[in-house]
Amino acid sequence: MRNRNKIIILLLFILLFFTSCEEINGVLGLLPKFDSTLPNNISGKWVYFENEEDRLGDENEASFTRQFIFDSKENKFSLSYVDKTQVNKSGSYSYSYKTYTITECNGVLTLRFDDGSVEEYDFYISSTAISGPEKLMLSDGLTYYYWGNV
């Protein structure tokens, strides 16, 4: 019994000694860290086409009419209109998921414009396991297609 207690005390002393050293921080840095947050599927460039012919045209000649850019690093967005009949808008955004799977998710997207106005949309995003995000459907009835990373 005495040897067992001595060994436990010795191990505790060694552990206490190493936890006070800077080397232990290096060892702890090697341990894996797990992030329990879901990925930001909204991040990226999304474009809207007036009709299916425009969407299926040559990618270099694609004629989308508006483009959303969601920057996940700063939680900023911009909405650009190609035809210049409407004013481009920008601001910050937030989102929350109602459901989430690898190939589809839905939730609420909140846009806070630089002018102080706020708009909220229900959204649905579909993806494939091979090519990633495909389309973003908003509750205003418009469908945006994924156009790449920011």
Side-chain angles (χ1 to χ4, degrees):
M1 228 1 138
R2 284 187 148 188
N3 285 340
R4 184 176 177 206
N5 289 341
K6 287 180 182 179
I7 291 173
I8 290 173
I9 291 173
L10 180 63
L11 288 174
L12 287 173
F13 178 73
I14 290 171
L15 183 63
L16 181 64
F17 176 74
F18 279 121
T19 57
S20 64
C21 294
E22 289 184 25
E23 286 79 22
I24 195 68
N25 291 330
V27 172
L28 292 176
L30 297 175
L31 297 174
K33 293 174 183 62
F34 298 99
D35 186 5
S36 63
T37 60
L38 294 172
N40 182 347
N41 285 1
I42 294 175
S43 180
K45 296 178 187 177
W46 299 87
V47 296
Y48 172 75
F49 298 95
E50 287 291 330
N51 54 52
E52 195 68 13
E53 293 81 32
D54 290 344
R55 185 178 78 82
L56 296 175
D58 183 16
E59 187 173 313
N60 296 326
E61 298 176 15
S63 56
F64 55 86
T65 57
R66 31 178 117 168
Q67 177 180 17
F68 262 118
I69 298 177
F70 293 98
D71 180 358
S72 64
K73 291 178 184 151
E74 298 182 25
N75 282 345
K76 299 281 185 186
F77 79 92
S78 64
L79 173 58
S80 305
Y81 296 92
V82 175
D83 60 5
K84 306 291 184 205
T85 59
Q86 297 184 25
V87 177
N88 295 340
K89 300 175 183 179
S90 62
S92 63
Y93 75 97
S94 61
Y95 63 94
S96 63
Y97 294 117
K98 293 179 183 176
T99 62
Y100 184 91
T101 64
I102 292 173
T103 56
E104 60 185 10
C105 60
N106 66 22
V108 177
L109 171 65
T110 304
L111 304 176
R112 290 176 189 80
F113 295 95
D114 290 336
D115 65 4
S117 62
V118 177
E119 292 180 9
E120 196 170 86
Y121 298 97
D122 290 330
F123 71 86
Y124 170 82
I125 296 176
S126 64
S127 304
T128 65
I130 295 173
S131 55
E134 288 185 333
K135 59 184 167 180
L136 165 67
M137 298 187 321
L138 297 178
S139 58
D140 63 359
L142 300 180
T143 299
Y144 293 83
Y145 292 89
Y146 187 70
W147 212 248
N149 292 330
V150 176

